[in-house]
Amino acid sequence: MTHLQAGLSPETLEKAKVELKENPDTLHQDIQEVRDMIITRPDIGFLRTDDAFILRFLRARKFNHFEAFRLLAQYFEYRQQNLDMFKNLKPTDPGIKQALKDGFPDPELQVNGFILIIDWSNFTFKQASRLTPSMLRLAIEGLQDSFPARFGGIHFVNQPWYIHALYTVIRPFLKDKTRKRIFMHGNNLNSLHLLIHPEILPSELGGMMPPYDMGTWARALLDHAYDEEADYCPESYTLSVQDLEKDLEKDLSPKTMKSHEDNMKPLLSLD
């Protein structure tokens, strides 16, 4: 095991080897082969090329060098084409605080993959008026096509009618793979529980776990700048697909509701 695999559990190391074809003996060579491709895209400013950073993209594409580089290029190209989303980012900005609260993919999540659960309960119509179809599409496709992680899907919970309407507008323009990974549950937590067992969900989502604490990451990274009382919404939850797989081992397989056939598929097939 190299220092780049430090922090991974024995189970996750085995999963990386079997599912992702991650080999500690060739890890540095794999990273260098991706790095060597950077010269083929002089039109893109690759702001980070360190080993740990490139490793994220290799894991996201099962150590296919070309696909990992293409994802790396798409990541920085996405940033270049959407400068307004990334300029002047500061840890104390509300949006960045929210990202820190939700947590960045750690090595375990890089291997196991993740899903997002977004609770729109506190999202106001005024806030929604700023969310255009193009912005929503940009965010979803950026996560699907330009983010270095094994993306399992997005679950919308308690979304109001105008969020559903926004999604209806952009849905025809999304890739088929993306559409299959977006789930609209509304206030029907039972449909959520058919795909994600309550045993690993927080209590506010009808689960058996304690209430979700969004401040875990932020307290460590923001220190004194973290504001416990700040109001950030909508709330989002990140779950490792490893948690879902453990449920499957207990024979708690997701079931598909007939009324949700077009928009309810198991999330465990990650690319």
Side-chain angles (χ1 to χ4, degrees):
M1 183 178 74
T2 74
H3 72 281
L4 292 169
Q5 295 178 309
L8 295 179
S9 67
E11 295 80 8
T12 302
L13 284 170
E14 181 63 20
K15 183 172 184 176
K17 178 182 178 181
V18 174
E19 291 190 16
L20 307 186
K21 303 178 178 65
E22 183 169 325
N23 184 349
D25 296 331
T26 62
L27 200 55
H28 290 283
Q29 179 182 340
D30 292 328
I31 292 170
Q32 189 57 47
E33 289 200 26
V34 173
R35 188 182 288 119
D36 289 343
M37 297 182 195
I38 290 176
I39 62 172
T40 66
R41 293 298 305 272
D43 56 311
I44 297 176
F46 292 87
L47 304 181
R48 279 192 65 178
T49 61
D50 55 276
D51 288 357
F53 189 69
I54 291 178
L55 178 57
R56 299 181 194 176
F57 295 85
L58 280 164
R59 284 172 170 163
R61 290 300 180 262
K62 297 183 179 180
F63 278 75
N64 181 309
H65 297 159
F66 177 77
E67 290 298 326
F69 172 71
R70 185 164 72 169
L71 180 63
L72 178 68
Q74 287 173 177
Y75 172 81
F76 285 113
E77 191 171 36
Y78 182 86
R79 291 188 59 170
Q80 286 181 192
Q81 293 174 351
N82 302 282
L83 292 176
D84 289 342
M85 296 176 62
F86 297 97
K87 68 180 181 181
N88 301 322
L89 295 184
K90 298 178 181 179
T92 53
D93 289 343
I96 305 305
K97 281 187 177 182
Q98 182 61 53
L100 293 176
K101 283 188 171 188
D102 293 340
F104 292 110
D106 62 16
E108 289 280 334
L109 286 178
Q110 290 172 24
V111 174
N112 291 306
F114 72 98
I115 63 174
L116 293 177
I117 303 175
I118 303 178
D119 185 356
W120 298 86
S121 298
N122 298 318
F123 203 70
T124 67
F125 184 81
K126 181 178 180 181
Q127 291 169 319
S129 66
R130 302 171 186 170
L131 184 61
T132 64
S134 59
M135 288 172 59
L136 185 58
R137 179 187 177 187
L138 189 66
I140 291 173
E141 292 196 334
L143 186 62
Q144 174 75 64
D145 300 327
S146 306
F147 192 69
R150 305 181 68 200
F151 172 60
I154 303 176
H155 292 255
F156 287 170
V157 178
N158 297 315
Q159 79 277 2
W161 65 266
Y162 40 85
I163 296 299
H164 193 90
L166 278 177
Y167 177 66
T168 301
V169 172
I170 69 168
R171 190 177 189 277
F173 302 98
L174 296 176
K175 296 178 180 178
D176 184 60
K177 182 170 68 173
T178 304
R179 289 198 299 268
K180 290 178 179 178
R181 294 180 177 179
I182 298 176
F183 306 85
M184 294 282 184
H185 298 284
N187 59 4
N188 181 11
L189 293 181
N190 288 332
S191 68
L192 176 68
H193 297 165
L194 288 174
L195 293 176
I196 305 175
H197 196 269
E199 191 173 286
I200 60 172
L201 289 173
S203 58
E204 59 267 37
L205 295 180
M208 302 176 186
M209 300 294 289
Y212 180 70
D213 182 6
M214 294 189 297
T216 302
W217 291 81
R219 290 188 193 97
L221 295 174
L222 293 174
D223 195 18
H224 63 280
Y226 174 67
D227 183 1
E228 290 278 2
E229 301 302 321
D231 186 18
Y232 307 108
C233 56
E235 294 178 328
S236 62
Y237 311 86
T238 304
L239 291 178
S240 168
V241 171
Q242 185 180 40
D243 293 332
L244 303 181
E245 290 173 336
K246 288 179 179 178
D247 283 338
L248 291 178
E249 292 173 1
K250 299 177 182 177
D251 197 27
L252 296 173
S253 302
K255 301 176 182 177
T256 304
M257 296 175 62
K258 289 184 178 180
S259 61
H260 292 81
E261 283 182 350
D262 292 335
N263 202 31
M264 300 283 286
K265 304 291 182 182
L267 288 177
L268 298 182
S269 177
L270 299 182
D271 297 329

